[in-house]
Amino acid sequence: MIRPIILHPDPRLKKPCEAVGDITPELRVLAADMLETMYEAPGIGLAAPQVGVLKRVLVMDCAKDGPPEPMVLINPRVTWASEDLSVYDEGCLSIPDQYAEVKRPARVRVEWTDLDGAAQERDFEGLWATCVQHEIDHLDGKLFIDYLGPLKRQMITRKMEKLKRERARSGG
Ligand code: NI
C-alpha cells in the first residue's frame, strides 16, 4: 500500500526515531509499504518518519541499471566513514523539486538488522553511500537542508510552506 509522504516543514521530520525491537508482522508491512511508496514516488530512498512512523527503518534502491536492488535497513548505524568526501546534488521526497549540494564521507560502513532479524554489515560507496547517510539522518530528525547555510535553508522552507498551502487549498 502506498502511504502519503510527509512534507517539510513538519515536526515529525525533526524528531529522533525509536530503535526497533522485535521484527513484527506490522514492521514487515511497513517495510513493504515504504518500498512501494519509494518506487512509486519515484525515489531512491525513504525513511519511516517520512510516512509518519518514528521508528529506525529505512528502505533504498540506488541501482541504476539492471534489476532492482531493494534494501530494508532496521536500526542502521554508521560504524566507519572515509576521510575523503564527495559532493552530491541531493533531493528529498519530503522536499520535492528542491536540490542542493551536500558534502559527506565518500564511503561508509553500516551495520543494521534485516527483516529476518539477522545482523548485516556492508560498505557503501558512490550514490549508495550518499543515500544511506541521507536516510540515516532522517532517523535522527535531520534533513539535507540542515547542511546548508541559513539563507538557503530558509528559502527552501518558505517555498515548501507555500507548496503545502497550495496543496491544502486544492484539497490534496
Ligand atoms: Ni530525504
Side-chain angles (χ1 to χ4, degrees):
M1 189 185 77
I2 290 165
R3 303 196 187 196
I5 296 174
I6 292 171
L7 297 182
H8 167 74
D10 187 295
R12 290 168 288 182
L13 296 174
K14 302 299 289 180
K15 293 206 173 102
C17 296
E18 280 180 8
V20 172
D22 295 334
I23 312 292
T24 60
E26 290 75 20
L27 188 79
R28 291 172 189 280
V29 170
L30 172 68
D33 285 355
M34 285 171 61
L35 279 168
E36 194 180 345
T37 303
M38 177 190 81
Y39 284 124
E40 195 266 346
I44 58 170
L46 187 70
Q50 294 180 276
V51 292
V53 178
L54 298 185
K55 296 237 167 90
R56 302 189 76 83
V57 182
L58 67 85
V59 299
M60 60 178 181
D61 183 351
C62 302
K64 281 175 195 154
D65 317 298
E69 286 182 52
M71 295 191 71
V72 177
L73 282 67
I74 300 161
N75 300 331
R77 204 161 64 84
V78 174
T79 59
W80 171 84
S82 67
E83 276 179 33
D84 52 314
L85 305 174
S86 75
V87 177
Y88 192 84
D89 202 28
E90 293 191 23
C92 180
L93 293 177
S94 293
I95 314 175
D97 301 323
Q98 304 299 321
Y99 299 89
E101 288 191 342
V102 177
K103 199 184 283 183
R104 301 180 186 271
R107 286 166 291 129
V108 287
R109 184 166 302 142
V110 179
E111 287 180 2
W112 72 94
T113 301
D114 68 19
L115 276 177
D116 296 319
Q120 300 286 344
E121 183 185 69
R122 185 165 139 183
D123 287 2
F124 293 98
E125 61 177 14
L127 183 55
W128 286 93
T130 292
C131 185
V132 75
Q133 291 175 80
H134 173 121
E135 301 308 332
I136 290 174
D137 273 354
H138 274 297
L139 306 182
D140 295 320
K142 192 167 186 182
L143 302 172
F144 81 89
I145 56 171
D146 294 328
Y147 291 92
L148 311 178
L151 287 178
K152 176 97 178 155
R153 187 167 62 240
Q154 280 161 25
M155 191 185 74
I156 289 177
T157 298
R158 280 197 206 101
K159 281 185 189 165
M160 290 302 303
E161 285 167 342
K162 184 162 173 272
L163 175 72
K164 288 179 81 172
R165 281 197 302 272
E166 284 166 2
R167 287 197 182 181
R169 264 203 298 276
S170 66

